[in-house]
Amino acid sequence: EPEVTQTPSHQVTQMGQEVILRCVPISNHLYFYWYRQILGQKVEFLVSFYNNEISEKSEIFDDQFSVERPDGSNFTLKIRSTKLEDSAMYFCASTLSGRHNEQYFGPGTRLTVT
Amino acid sequence: SQQGEEDPQALSIQEGENATMNCSYKTSINNLQWYRQNSGRGLVHLILIRSNEREKHSGRLRVTLDTSKKSSSLLITASRAADTASYFCATDDSGNNRKLIWGLGTSLAVNP
């Protein structure tokens, strides 16, 4: 069964460093998302991506964040200069088009900023 | 309060019992989805119910949706220890981008 994959599973970085989180969505899906979950808190929407551009972003997704789909397969989230409060689990998700399609999530990348 | 609030926040039951979790939301939706998360792990999709559906079943799961009350419930019948996890409801925002808005979840412990 097709699945969303994410790498790495755990990333430790120092404050101020750049990180790139990688995702491979399900191949025939058209909408892509990043969410994050700070430990013990709810899952929060970061950004949605469709037709090679950002379709919506939350207030969390500031200038330090960017997304890219460089090769039609990978979908990346870059954090330019990490802060301590960026420590969280980051989930990538994808879905087919249509209003009633499930979003399929990857296993997540645990980002720890020290 | 936030879209997609679950209650109870924590539920502890014995194996074999049924577990019921509730979710309330505030805005209009296209659909509501339930997910499961084992501690520190990924989000596993359980079931999606559309706004024009009232009830849906999948194995031991039964989901209801009451759009007039903006609420949904997830029932797990004949629970097993392996059902121990956090359960989240997520609503899409009825916009074009289908982003999901999440509650805090219900932490379910099924004791053997």
Side-chain angles (χ1 to χ4, degrees):
Chain A
E1 188 174 324
E3 57 182 16
V4 177
T5 59
Q6 288 185 245
T7 54
S9 56
H10 191 190
Q11 173 95 46
V12 182
T13 189
Q14 289 191 327
M15 200 166 51
Q17 295 296 305
E18 174 184 286
V19 294
I20 297 176
L21 310 183
R22 301 181 194 281
C23 168
V24 179
I26 294 173
S27 62
N28 62 338
H29 284 188
L30 299 177
Y31 288 81
F32 312 109
Y33 307 84
W34 283 100
Y35 295 85
R36 79 171 186 192
Q37 185 183 31
I38 295 171
L39 187 64
Q41 297 187 23
K42 62 173 66 178
V43 177
E44 301 172 290
F45 166 77
L46 292 178
V47 65
S48 58
F49 193 86
Y50 171 71
N51 202 25
N52 285 319
E53 60 183 22
I54 290 174
S55 46
E56 187 173 353
K57 57 185 180 180
S58 71
E59 59 273 13
I60 302 168
F61 195 89
D62 62 20
D63 292 344
Q64 294 301 312
F65 291 86
S66 62
V67 289
E68 201 175 36
R69 188 157 160 80
D71 56 11
S73 171
N74 293 284
F75 180 49
T76 61
L77 174 70
K78 183 194 288 186
I79 309 175
R80 202 159 292 120
S81 177
T82 49
K83 308 185 192 76
L84 293 175
E85 54 265 36
D86 293 328
S87 294
M89 195 79 159
Y90 287 80
F91 293 105
C92 171
S94 69
T95 189
L96 286 166
S97 62
R99 293 165 57 210
H100 297 300
N101 292 113
E102 299 89 343
Q103 285 192 20
Y104 290 91
F105 282 75
T109 292
R110 181 170 299 284
L111 176 66
T112 303
V113 183
T114 60
Chain B
S1 50
Q2 300 291 319
Q3 183 92 329
E5 292 193 341
E6 293 92 337
D7 78 87
Q9 290 190 351
L11 181 61
S12 181
I13 59 174
Q14 295 300 122
E15 221 169 10
E17 293 180 340
N18 296 342
T20 300
M21 290 159 269
N22 303 297
C23 167
S24 61
Y25 59 92
K26 293 214 170 286
T27 62
S28 60
I29 61 172
N30 287 319
N31 60 65
L32 184 145
Q33 304 182 44
W34 283 92
Y35 288 81
R36 166 199 166 116
Q37 183 181 38
N38 286 62
S39 180
R41 307 288 291 276
L43 295 156
V44 176
H45 187 270
L46 295 176
I47 200 164
L48 178 152
I49 187 164
R50 301 182 182 198
S51 57
N52 62 352
E53 296 176 314
R54 292 297 164 256
E55 189 170 310
K56 203 157 180 183
H57 297 252
S58 176
R60 293 184 295 113
L61 305 180
R62 173 177 165 250
V63 168
T64 62
L65 179 64
D66 186 336
T67 51
S68 66
K69 294 181 180 175
K70 291 188 166 58
S71 67
S72 173
S73 67
L74 170 68
L75 168 68
I76 304 173
T77 59
S79 63
R80 305 167 183 164
D83 294 329
T84 295
S86 291
Y87 292 83
F88 296 88
C89 73
T91 53
D92 83 325
D93 68 347
S94 76
N96 291 328
N97 298 312
R98 305 169 182 85
K99 69 174 188 277
L100 294 179
I101 304 169
W102 300 75
L104 275 168
T106 293
S107 177
L108 173 66
V110 182
N111 305 304

